[in-house]
Structure formats: C-alpha cells, structure tokens
Amino acid sequence: RGGLRTDSMMVASIDTETGKAALFGFPRNLAQVPLPSRFKSAFVELQKRMEPQPEPVEVEEGEEPPPPPEFKSCNCFPEQLNALYPFTRRWTRSYPNEVDPGMAVLRDTLEQLMGVNIYYYALIDMAAFVDLVDAIGGVDVYVTKPLESEVSPPREGEPWAYVNVEPGWNHLDGPQALAYARARKGSSDYTRMERQRCMVKAVAAKADPITLLRSFPAIVDAVQGSVVTDIPLTFLPDLISATAGLDFDDIETVGITHSYWEPARDYNGKPIPDLGAIRAKVKRVLSGQSDPTVESSVSPECEV
C-alpha cells in the first residue's frame, strides 16, 4: 500500500535458558520518540514544518515586535511512530548493508526507547499473516467480549475479511484472525494492540514441533515474498527450536500505553513516551521481576 506505515509494532524476547518470552507492543501514534544520537538531527526541518506558528503579537506604533521564540530541536521523530518506516525506507547511504534500511532505523529507534539490543527484524504484511495462520491450521483464542467486524482484504481483489466471535473459546482461520486483530469499530488503538498481541501469542501456541514439521512447506509458501527480514538462514533452526519449545503460559505481553507516557502531549495531542518508565518496565520484565496480574488493572480483551 502507498505509505506502508507500520501500524502494528512489536518487540519479542525469548530467554532460551528459562523458556520464558515477552512481547512488547508499541502504539502507532506515539510521538516525539527520541532518536539515536547518530541521526538525532535528521528531522529538524520536519519538526519546524509541523510545529504551530506563534500567534502574531500586536505592538504599539513605534515599538519593536518581540523576537520570535527560539526554535529547539527535540532530537526526536516529530511525526507519529508508525510513519518512521516510510520516511526512512530509502536510507541506503546511512544503512548500505541492511536488507531494509527503514526497518533498521525502526529497530535502532526502539532500541533507544527500550534500552536493550534488538538483534533482528521482520516486516510481515497482512497476506503473510493470513497465510501463516492457515498454514498451521488456524488459532484458538479465548475472547471476553463479543466482536463482529469486517476489514479490507489482505490482497487486492480478495473478499473482505470477516469475523464474528462470542465470549469463550473461538477457533479462527487466517482471514478471521486478521479481522479480529484489525477490527476498528467500537474499539481503540490500544484494544487493537491487545488483540494483536493475543494473535501473535496464539500463533506461538500452535508452533509446536509436530505442527511446524507437518506445516513446514505451507509455512515457507506463506512467508516467501511476503516477509522482509535480516534473520540469517543459519540462525533459523535455532530460532524455530526456541519458539517451538516455548510454554505459552510463560509469554508475557506488554502494551506500552498510558502508564508509560509523559503527562503532556505533543502539539497534535499525540502521546509522548516516558523513557524512564518504559525502560524500567522492560528491565523488570526481562529480569523476571514483573507480575502481569498485579500491574494490569484492566480485564483483558482476549487470552490464549
């Protein structure tokens, strides 16, 4: 699609020794996200264009108008976070050895935000998600609220994706899983993020060794041509093995939402990330000190 914004952004971490994993979801509308120092000034002109102009000041005849307020760079990406990829996907001179420069910039920016190293990235389109879910025989998800929705098709010319779920366990095929993850009507971005994390967790729950082996040709067909990644082929066996060995009850999902924002908003009303709060949460989760049952006061939209 034109623009190709990354509306769903997640960072996954797997501890191969403990078998625990974490999935962090970042809202698409995060604004003024700090940039790595090597390109912190890359978007100064964009910030100047986006910032509202000061109101004209009336002065008495003969008086000098006050000087305009001094511009101060935020050393950030002034647009919302999901626009970073289309702004940087052609940064081939800055990232000459990357498979996808835009994904490398997004990786480095999320590293800065989280205070951790991110080793690999993958860009997955909607068609690949649908095909992958179908390749493993669908997914099972426990929903707490009924939802009926229809969203645009994953491929041009295909039927719209439709889902109708009731509270309790539901088995979803690829198009239904896509519709459940993308449904907008009557829900916020943050509810959608929760459903998206449930879908990723549901796929992980189905990724046992037997399913992976049985479904491997279909999985290859699903991702070939629809996924851009810098994961080396030599690492794939280890990654598949680690994923297949996950106990999905030990996958903690975290939404970087209201608790991790600054009190003030940007000039368009978009949330600004609280760097300290985000890094502290990430550190608690990755060190095994986080208790999701204590830190979440909202009943979940879905479970796996």
Side-chain angles (χ1 to χ4, degrees):
R1 290 184 171 182
L4 197 63
R5 293 192 171 204
T6 53
D7 277 354
S8 179
M9 293 168 285
M10 300 184 197
V11 176
S13 175
I14 301 174
D15 188 324
T16 54
E17 292 184 0
T18 65
K20 293 182 180 293
L23 196 64
F24 300 90
F26 291 86
R28 61 178 182 166
N29 64 340
L30 270 186
Q32 297 189 11
V33 174
L35 294 168
S37 58
R38 64 185 177 280
F39 56 86
K40 66 181 181 181
S41 302
F43 297 102
V44 169
E45 293 305 316
L46 177 62
Q47 182 187 347
K48 288 179 179 177
R49 293 197 302 269
M50 289 183 63
E51 282 193 356
Q53 297 300 310
E55 295 289 333
V57 178
E58 293 186 8
V59 295
E60 298 291 337
E61 187 176 350
E63 289 184 355
E64 290 290 330
E70 182 181 357
F71 172 81
K72 184 177 180 181
S73 172
C74 63
N75 297 326
C76 70
F77 182 59
E79 259 269 23
Q80 60 182 42
L81 184 58
N82 68 340
L84 182 60
Y85 176 74
F87 267 91
T88 59
R89 61 186 302 197
R90 304 195 189 281
W91 278 20
T92 51
R93 284 187 295 178
S94 299
Y95 288 87
N97 301 316
E98 291 287 349
V99 175
D100 190 318
M103 286 301 295
V105 174
L106 184 58
R107 172 201 64 203
D108 291 351
T109 302
L110 289 176
E111 277 190 345
Q112 170 85 0
L113 190 58
M114 299 175 71
V116 297
N117 292 325
I118 300 175
Y119 297 99
Y120 304 113
Y121 54 76
L123 179 69
I124 304 169
D125 69 16
M126 292 183 291
F129 175 76
V130 168
D131 292 346
L132 182 60
V133 171
D134 282 338
I136 60 175
V139 292
D140 297 302
V141 61
Y142 187 91
V143 304
T144 59
K145 301 172 185 176
L147 185 145
E148 183 177 10
S149 180
E150 189 177 46
V151 301
S152 56
R155 294 183 179 88
E156 190 175 355
E158 290 185 347
W160 280 50
Y162 172 78
V163 69
N164 185 2
V165 295
E166 295 292 337
W169 283 103
N170 291 262
H171 183 78
L172 307 181
D173 62 17
Q176 290 170 332
L178 179 70
Y180 184 70
R182 292 191 61 217
R184 292 175 180 267
K185 188 176 180 181
S187 64
S188 67
D189 271 357
Y190 316 114
T191 303
R192 291 172 65 219
M193 285 171 58
E194 184 182 21
R195 292 200 301 266
Q196 289 161 8
R197 293 195 302 276
C198 277
M199 288 296 97
V200 173
K201 191 173 177 181
V203 171
K206 285 292 293 290
D208 59 87
I210 294 176
T211 301
L212 289 176
L213 186 62
R214 184 182 63 242
S215 309
F216 190 73
I219 292 172
V220 171
D221 288 342
V223 301
Q224 199 168 35
S226 297
V227 175
V228 176
T229 182
D230 66 341
I231 299 174
L233 287 173
T234 53
F235 182 61
L236 275 178
D238 290 337
L239 181 61
I240 292 172
S241 176
T243 305
L246 284 176
D247 180 348
F248 61 86
D249 288 331
D250 283 334
I251 303 176
E252 182 170 354
T253 62
V254 181
I256 304 301
T257 55
H258 306 74
S259 302
Y260 309 101
W261 299 345
E262 295 284 1
R265 299 279 184 123
D266 81 338
Y267 29 78
N268 288 320
K270 305 293 184 184
I272 299 173
D274 182 333
L275 208 64
I278 291 173
R279 290 182 174 181
K281 176 61 176 178
V282 170
K283 186 175 181 179
R284 288 197 303 274
V285 171
L286 298 186
S287 63
Q289 298 174 359
S290 172
D291 186 346
T293 61
V294 172
E295 298 196 19
S296 176
S297 60
V298 181
S299 59
E301 176 102 351
C302 51
E303 299 173 6
V304 177

